[in-house]
Amino acid sequence: MTAWALYDAGMLKLLWTGAAVAALLFYGWRMRQKKRLCFADQNMLERLGGQCQAWREGCRGGCVLVATLMIVLALCRPAWDAKDLHITHSGRDIVFVLDVSRSMFAQDLQPNRLARAKRAIMDCTDELTGDRVGLVVFAGTASIKCPLTRDYGFFRTVLRDLSWDSAQIGGTRIGDAIQARAEHLLNEQRSGYQDIIMITDGEDHESRPEEAAAMLKTGGIRLIAIGIGDAYQGQRIAVDDETGSTAFLQYQGQEVWSKLNAPLLRRIVAAAGQGVFWEVGTDVIDLAGIYRRDIATAQRIKTEARSVQVYEEKFQGFLAVA
């Protein structure tokens, strides 16, 4: 077992400064010697105390060199005196269910609904404290992109790579997404500690989402639905045409306009038993604020307990020597 540690071992690369300082000290000593020889020869300098002068210069240079090395070692943050530290993680299981269907490319939120939803989830991850997070996307079918994890870096990487083709089949089937997540999350030991945050414009192609939401009530899973998009006039759906230019999605020769289906999302949340519906519309998606208000204050479950060895930092002694 290691009896000591360097918390910032990368600073060891600064040890080359010791060689640079030694070279400068030697160069300064040589230049002073040459200047002295301009006034007296070597025998006269020795009779005038040259040996004592050389000893003093050597000690002074040695102190500068040692001080430099001590500062470098202090920057490496040396530590020893290991102690056992018990760490306990507590939190909730949060699954983000994100609509990646074509309608999420409507531009009533800039640059589009999907980009704004991804940005809101990214901001929310900055607030997480011990929670496990997962990511599910859905369009015509649902798929797990990130299983429950506390590796927030991996979660953000997966989130950044999402696009409209992240789901294998086009369309929008909210019920399938909810049912798939309910079946995956159902766990009697974690009942009451699980949340689904669903971000969608509410468009659905007869997937019976209310029936699927009823499964959440049985399993004690809370549903937080975030409805985005213009609920009144709606917006056209931007797509790239064959030339790479921006066009708008058409169906049977008519432009498709997408609206927020808030009534459906309210019914889904009601069927889930416990949950909240936030009709964001075209406003800012403050998902981080929703997390602080509705999730961070909720009851949490102990998810992991482990012991680690930590070392007490001792850089102060090296600075004192310097």
Side-chain angles (χ1 to χ4, degrees), residues 8 23 30 57 86-87 97 100 127-129 133 137 146 148 171 173 180 197-198 206 209 213 233 263 267 283 291:
D8 198 351
R30 290 289 296 171
E57 289 185 0
H86 298 283
I87 299 176
V97 178
V100 294
E127 302 287 333
L128 300 178
T129 55
V133 291
V137 299
C146 178
L148 287 169
R173 298 184 62 83
I197 300 179
M198 182 173 65
E206 301 179 355
Q233 180 179 354
R267 293 197 301 271
D283 293 333
Y291 170 83

Side-chain angles (χ1 to χ4, degrees), residues 5 18 38 42 91 103 123 127 142 175 180 196 212 247 266 268 291 297 305 314:
C38 293
Q42 186 65 37
S103 63
D123 292 340
E127 302 287 333
I196 291 178
R266 288 193 180 93
I268 293 173
Y291 170 83
T297 57
K314 304 290 185 178

Side-chain angles (χ1 to χ4, degrees), residues 3-4 37-38 45 52-53 56 63 67 90 94 128 133 154 179 250 275:
W4 56 275
L37 292 174
C38 293
L45 290 175
C52 183
Q53 180 69 20
R56 285 198 298 270
C63 287
S90 64
I94 306 171
L128 300 178
V133 291
F154 172 71
Q179 182 174 352
Q250 294 189 357

Side-chain angles (χ1 to χ4, degrees), residues 151-203:
D151 188 346
Y152 301 144
F154 172 71
F155 178 87
R156 293 187 185 99
T157 299
V158 174
L159 179 64
R160 278 192 291 267
D161 292 339
L162 290 183
S163 63
W164 68 270
D165 58 353
S166 296
Q168 297 177 352
I169 302 176
T172 309
R173 298 184 62 83
I174 298 176
D176 292 354
I178 295 176
Q179 182 174 352
R181 290 309 85 226
E183 292 173 350
H184 181 72
L185 282 176
L186 285 177
N187 185 331
E188 292 183 0
Q189 296 180 348
R190 306 184 71 84
S191 177
Y193 302 98
Q194 301 165 308
D195 301 289
I196 291 178
I197 300 179
M198 182 173 65
I199 306 179
T200 178
D201 53 27
E203 291 193 359

Side-chain angles (χ1 to χ4, degrees), residues 29-180:
W29 175 77
R30 290 289 296 171
M31 294 301 295
R32 288 192 295 274
Q33 282 293 95
K34 288 183 179 181
K35 290 182 178 180
R36 292 192 189 102
L37 292 174
C38 293
F39 296 96
D41 59 22
Q42 186 65 37
N43 291 332
M44 180 60 71
L45 290 175
E46 291 178 0
R47 291 175 61 186
L48 293 174
Q51 293 291 341
C52 183
Q53 180 69 20
W55 185 84
R56 285 198 298 270
E57 289 185 0
C59 287
R60 188 160 54 241
C63 287
V64 172
L65 182 59
V66 170
T68 301
L69 295 176
M70 290 297 104
I71 290 173
V72 172
L73 289 175
L75 291 173
C76 292
R77 299 170 58 197
W80 53 87
D81 288 346
K83 298 178 181 179
D84 290 329
L85 179 65
H86 298 283
I87 299 176
T88 300
H89 290 289
S90 64
R92 298 178 66 86
D93 289 345
I94 306 171
V95 176
F96 293 94
V97 178
L98 180 59
D99 187 348
V100 294
S101 62
R102 284 283 191 177
S103 63
M104 291 292 284
F105 281 80
Q107 297 177 339
D108 42 11
L109 285 84
Q110 293 298 321
N112 57 56
R113 296 173 185 173
L114 179 59
R116 287 287 290 275
K118 289 169 60 176
R119 189 180 307 164
I121 296 174
M122 197 74 72
D123 292 340
C124 184
T125 59
D126 294 334
E127 302 287 333
L128 300 178
T129 55
D131 304 289
R132 296 196 305 173
V133 291
L135 180 62
V136 174
V137 299
F138 71 94
T141 184
S143 62
I144 301 173
K145 293 299 180 181
C146 178
L148 287 169
T149 180
R150 274 192 295 271
D151 188 346
Y152 301 144
F154 172 71
F155 178 87
R156 293 187 185 99
T157 299
V158 174
L159 179 64
R160 278 192 291 267
D161 292 339
L162 290 183
S163 63
W164 68 270
D165 58 353
S166 296
Q168 297 177 352
I169 302 176
T172 309
R173 298 184 62 83
I174 298 176
D176 292 354
I178 295 176
Q179 182 174 352

